[in-house]
Amino acid sequence: MTAHEPLPPMAPIGLLVELTHRCPLGCPYCSNPLALERPAAELDGETWKRVFSEAAALGALHVHLSGGEPTARRDIVELTGAASRSGLYTNLITSGIGVGEKLTNELADAGLDHAQLSFQGADKVTNDRLGHYPGSWEKKRAFAAHVVKAGLPLTINAVIHRANLDQVGAFIELAVELGARRLEVAHTQYYGWALANRAALMPPRKQVEESIALVEAARARLKGELVIDMVIPDYYARYPKPCAGGWGRIAINVSPAGKALPCHAAETIPGLEFWNVRDHSLADIWRSNPAFRAFRGTGWMREPCRSCDRREIDWGGCRCQALALAGDARNADPACMKSADHARIVATAMAESESGEEALRWRSYKQKVEA
């Protein structure tokens, strides 16, 4: 093994499967690609079952059943049961739309361990507008009640940005009211649809700092009652987050059509070949796919990452963000203060946060822009 070859990987901890890109919502910050995969290309149920079994055999501990809206799959109960029987901890990531009490109970009986429910706003008007779905507020609240009644742990996921950042306190109170055990307050990460809408979503730095202080106070106040996780925006950070825990280190994403990816946005990087689970076992992909090996470890790094004492903490940050903002996936993530591009992206964030831009490109198979 040469000095520049990545070390053999540990077993992946988790698997995120996008069972479908179909979704009733039109969230303008969605992490799905702009070119959504069509229903006709989706993997069949038997292939997904094999993937779950292979993930467990490889050493994975949990699977996130995601989308799109995963319950748009008619076989969602069967798939949940297969994942559970494989020995994986199962987490449903859902909009809650169309998931009634009967389906919730069927999922619980099949072995669902946890449900993660998204809210786009902490009140009806904001939620329905930002999800681009009138009436979604009531459906989400009903689903939360079904989850709690079924005895499943509930996480509320609140993606925040300029259009709803003033509701952080209300999101916290909503999570308590609904009986959630955990709240994730996640500032928008600017990939996919969010990058296309960045000018309309980027919050002012002062408002971000206020939201962080508010969450810290709530954590102390609600200790033992509600766990609150927070993801801050990269553009105002001093150091980058490790990309999906480090490229090809702990997780595998699988798209609806079966492409295995190191992270959500990996397909934006040209020149990488992503193997498909139709043609390769998950173990073969994890250990041998050149795309997973491309940025695994530290051998690929350039300066300032190569000699940085944080190189095995953040693993160079996000490769997709480096490409999008610094022009090369091998450059330092501009979220890092050591990057030559850091000052420029901070200035961009501050300018866009004050731009007054409000037009949004709603997530859709038919892309559109509306105020």
Side-chain angles (χ1 to χ4, degrees):
M1 181 176 293
T2 70
H4 295 289
E5 276 190 273
L7 293 173
M10 305 179 295
I13 294 173
L15 182 70
L16 186 146
V17 297
E18 296 176 347
L19 296 173
T20 179
H21 278 163
R22 288 172 283 162
C23 185
L25 301 183
C27 304
Y29 52 76
C30 183
S31 62
N32 289 159
L34 295 179
L36 298 169
E37 293 180 354
R38 297 285 173 170
E42 291 173 12
L43 293 180
D44 62 87
E46 292 306 310
T47 303
W48 278 122
K49 292 174 188 178
R50 173 175 60 80
V51 168
F52 299 150
S53 179
E54 290 177 350
L58 191 55
L61 301 177
H62 60 257
V63 59
H64 300 287
L65 303 169
S66 185
E69 173 49 56
T71 63
R73 293 270 312 209
R74 293 184 179 180
D75 57 355
I76 185 60
V77 173
E78 186 179 349
L79 294 180
T80 301
S84 179
R85 289 190 298 274
S86 295
L88 298 171
Y89 182 93
T90 55
N91 176 40
L92 181 73
I93 302 176
T94 178
S95 68
I97 307 299
V99 192
E101 186 171 10
K102 180 176 181 292
L103 179 54
T104 303
N105 290 337
E106 288 173 348
L107 289 166
D109 291 342
L112 183 66
D113 292 301
H114 182 274
Q116 184 170 328
L117 171 64
S118 67
F119 275 87
Q120 285 64 52
D123 62 66
K124 175 177 170 56
V125 172
T126 306
N127 179 81
D128 289 5
R129 175 181 177 268
L130 292 174
H132 211 55
Y133 188 108
S136 60
W137 173 255
E138 292 83 2
K139 295 178 186 295
K140 289 173 180 291
R141 291 180 62 91
F143 174 70
H146 301 329
V147 170
V148 173
K149 184 178 178 182
L152 294 172
L154 173 67
T155 289
I156 298 299
N157 179 255
V159 177
I160 55 175
H161 41 77
R162 192 165 77 234
N164 67 359
L165 188 51
D166 61 340
Q167 296 192 335
V168 170
F171 274 122
I172 294 169
E173 298 309 314
L174 177 65
V176 172
E177 177 196 346
L178 294 177
R181 300 186 191 178
R182 177 174 166 268
L183 168 66
E184 181 176 305
V185 179
H187 278 272
T188 298
Q189 304 299 294
Y190 293 96
Y191 321 114
W193 294 85
L195 183 59
N197 285 304
R198 190 180 65 186
L201 297 176
M202 184 65 70
R205 182 194 286 270
K206 184 175 185 294
Q207 202 174 3
V208 170
E209 292 170 348
E210 290 171 351
S211 72
I212 294 171
L214 196 156
V215 167
E216 289 299 327
R219 280 174 172 162
R221 176 169 54 87
L222 296 170
K223 186 175 182 180
E225 180 179 0
L226 180 70
V227 174
I228 307 177
D229 294 332
M230 188 172 201
V231 179
I232 66 171
D234 288 342
Y235 287 57
Y236 294 132
R238 296 178 67 236
Y239 296 109
K241 298 184 298 296
C243 173
W247 181 282
R249 287 192 70 248
I250 64 171
I252 304 174
N253 287 22
V254 183
S255 80
K259 284 177 286 187
L261 308 170
C263 72
H264 281 297
E267 288 183 275
T268 62
I269 300 177
L272 296 181
E273 178 187 357
F274 300 102
W275 291 359
N276 196 296
V277 297
R278 300 179 198 267
D279 309 313
H280 298 268
S281 71
L282 213 58
D284 192 23
I285 291 169
W286 180 248
R287 296 176 181 134
S288 304
N289 184 358
F292 273 76
R293 294 164 58 87
F295 303 109
R296 180 179 276 155
T298 59
W300 60 271
M301 291 180 178
R302 298 171 174 170
E303 294 295 347
C305 300
R306 182 179 290 272
S307 60
C308 180
D309 58 5
R310 293 180 55 86
R311 64 185 177 277
E312 293 188 8
I313 297 174
D314 56 41
W315 301 99
C318 178
R319 299 301 86 222
C320 305
Q321 190 157 264
L323 173 67
L325 302 180
D328 192 323
R330 288 170 175 77
N331 284 350
D333 183 341
C336 181
M337 66 179 187
K338 296 182 180 181
S339 165
D341 298 287
H342 182 69
R344 177 173 57 82
I345 74 153
V346 172
T348 296
M350 295 180 72
E352 290 187 342
S353 73
E354 299 171 359
S355 67
E357 178 63 57
E358 294 184 357
L360 290 170
R361 187 176 180 181
W362 304 103
R363 178 204 188 274
S364 172
Y365 283 102
K366 296 179 180 180
Q367 300 174 16
K368 51 191 173 182
V369 177
E370 297 180 19

